[in-house]
């Protein structure tokens, strides 16, 4: 019994020892090249799927920031109206129509808003009686004011000296020169009170974002098409693309609103509400929103 047991034990030890080299030979210490390439390919696919989603999130954030800026400008316009009992003039100039060139007084409504957006320092350096393009006003009008710029905008001043804006007042319901007979809320020498908005403040556009003439803009201080627009068809341009002024535009042409936000443009209505309007809005409905007294029964249809 004892001898047999010792034999079995030694046999077990022999078998155990003989199994060790086998386990070491089959032990894996790294990825193979094929496995590594598969992992890299999967990561690449996941990144390619993730990037569009990241861009969409970023654009959504820029759109929210843009809405917030328009809301702040809307509050400033209401504060101005509260103090003066009328909205500011869209542009101050002795005569009309307004030509989009650096000649004349051309003081925009955004200049009037400077004290209401914590920019009194710039306002104090701007002499409205001299006109927007006077050399004495150059240090003020070349200032970049972030509140005037949409985060999705594209900026390049026509001469490198004008601070720009992506937000414009609504001067008329259709394409027409900026003049004293416009039917919007901000036009030549206008002093519109809320009693003049016969269609109701909730049905009338006060201001909105626009693509602008980024290669030859006269800046936020100029009460030309550089800070005033109308509710002619919304201009649509892809994000990141420059928006040059069409060569066919005349000096009296103004142009419509528009944005680089996908399929929508932000607006502030006369009641202070900020709303996004689809690029595909019905043309007649859109024009009615730009007219303060067209008599149309709007309702919630946009």
């Amino acid at each position: 019994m004892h001898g047999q047991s010792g034999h079995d034990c030694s046999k077990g030890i022999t078998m155990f020892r003989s199994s060790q080299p086998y386990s070491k030979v089959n032990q894996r210490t790294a990825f193979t090249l094929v496995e590594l390439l598969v992992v890299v390919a999967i990561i690449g696919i996941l990144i390619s799927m993730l990037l569009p989603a990241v861009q969409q999130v970023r654009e959504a954030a820029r759109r929210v920031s843009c809405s917030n800026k328009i809301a702040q400008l809307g509050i400033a316009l209401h504060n101005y109206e509260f103090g003066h009992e009328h909205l500011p003039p869209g542009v101050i100039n002795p005569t009309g129509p307004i030509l989009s060139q650096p000649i004349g007084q051309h003081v925009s409504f955004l200049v009037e808003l400077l004290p209401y957006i914590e920019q009194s320092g710039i306002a104090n350096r701007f002499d409205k009686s001299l006109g927007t393009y006077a050399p004495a006003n150059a240090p003020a009008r070349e200032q970049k004011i972030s509140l005037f710029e949409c985060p999705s905008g594209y900026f390049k001043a026509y001469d490198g000296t004008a601070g720009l804006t992506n937000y414009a007042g609504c001067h008329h319901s259709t394409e027409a020169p900026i003049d004293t007979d416009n039917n919007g809320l901000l036009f030549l020498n206008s002093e519109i009170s809320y009693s003049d908005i016969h269609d109701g403040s909730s049905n009338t556009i006060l201001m909105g974002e626009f693509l602008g003439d980024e290669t030859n803009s006269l800046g936020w201080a100029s009460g030309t098409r550089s800070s005033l627009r109308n509710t002619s068809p919304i201009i649509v341009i892809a994000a990141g693309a420059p928006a040059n002024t069409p060569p066919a535009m005349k000096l009296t042409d103004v142009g419509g609103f528009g944005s680089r936000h996908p399929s929508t443009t932000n607006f502030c209505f006369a009641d202070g509400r900020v709303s996004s309007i689809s690029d595909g809005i019905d043309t007649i409905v859109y024009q009615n929103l730009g007219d303060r007294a067209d008599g149309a029964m709007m309702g919630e249809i946009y």
Side-chain angles (χ1 to χ4, degrees):
M1 292 290 290
H2 182 270
Q4 181 68 30
S5 176
H7 175 75
D8 293 339
C9 181
S10 63
K11 182 179 179 181
I13 293 172
T14 301
M15 292 177 62
F16 175 76
R17 287 177 178 176
S18 65
S19 66
Q20 286 181 341
Y22 179 82
S23 63
K24 288 183 178 180
V25 170
N26 290 275
Q27 183 177 357
R28 300 181 62 181
T29 60
F31 290 110
T32 66
L33 179 60
V34 173
E35 290 173 328
L36 181 61
L37 292 176
V38 170
V39 171
V40 171
I42 293 174
I43 293 175
I45 293 173
L46 291 176
I47 291 175
S48 65
M49 295 173 63
L50 182 62
L51 283 177
V54 171
Q55 293 298 327
Q56 290 178 1
V57 171
R58 288 178 176 175
E59 173 53 34
R62 289 192 291 265
R63 178 179 165 186
V64 171
S65 176
C66 174
S67 298
N68 181 58
K69 290 184 176 184
I70 292 181
Q72 292 183 60
L73 291 173
I75 292 172
L77 282 162
H78 278 79
N79 287 337
Y80 181 99
E81 191 277 336
F82 182 78
H84 296 77
E85 298 185 351
H86 59 77
L87 293 170
V91 52
I92 299 173
N93 201 68
T95 60
I98 298 297
L99 304 180
S100 187
Q101 59 183 358
I103 300 174
Q105 190 175 11
H106 288 186
V107 177
S108 81
F109 76 100
L110 293 174
V111 174
E112 301 288 335
L113 293 188
L114 291 175
Y116 299 91
I117 58 172
E118 299 184 348
Q119 296 293 343
S120 296
I122 300 177
N124 294 336
R125 293 289 301 275
F126 196 100
D127 190 337
K128 292 183 285 187
S129 64
L130 296 177
T132 294
Y133 316 111
N137 286 330
R141 76 183 186 91
E142 70 184 9
Q143 295 299 311
K144 177 180 177 180
I145 301 177
S146 61
L147 186 60
F148 293 164
E149 299 180 356
C150 171
S152 296
Y154 175 90
F155 299 98
K156 182 179 178 182
Y158 81 108
D159 60 358
T161 62
L164 304 183
T165 179
N166 274 124
Y167 305 121
C170 183
H171 79 97
H172 201 60
S173 60
T174 59
E175 178 58 48
I178 301 169
D179 214 332
T180 56
D181 60 350
N182 294 160
N183 58 24
L185 297 180
L186 301 169
F187 50 93
L188 177 58
N189 300 326
S190 59
E191 292 186 353
I192 297 297
S193 64
Y194 273 78
S195 62
D196 298 320
I197 309 176
H198 300 298
D199 289 346
S201 58
S202 62
N203 293 324
T204 307
I205 291 174
L206 179 56
M207 64 181 303
E209 58 178 324
F210 74 111
L211 294 165
D213 307 327
E214 286 92 345
T215 56
N216 63 353
S217 174
L218 297 176
W220 56 261
S222 174
T224 57
R225 62 177 172 231
S226 297
S227 64
L228 294 172
R229 292 284 158 149
N230 52 62
T231 49
S232 55
I234 293 177
I235 302 172
V236 180
I237 291 183
N244 297 324
T245 304
M249 288 189 76
K250 299 180 294 185
L251 292 176
T252 54
D253 290 341
V254 182
F257 295 96
S259 78
R260 288 185 176 80
H261 306 306
S263 305
T264 190
T265 301
N266 291 323
F267 289 87
C268 178
F269 286 75
D271 62 349
R273 171 176 54 93
V274 175
S275 180
S276 296
I277 293 181
S278 170
D279 295 344
I281 185 174
D282 180 80
T283 301
I284 301 301
V285 172
Y286 182 52
Q287 290 177 353
N288 288 340
L289 292 173
D291 191 332
R292 67 182 183 274
D294 56 73
M297 302 293 289
M298 298 302 301
E300 299 294 332
I301 59 176
Y302 55 87

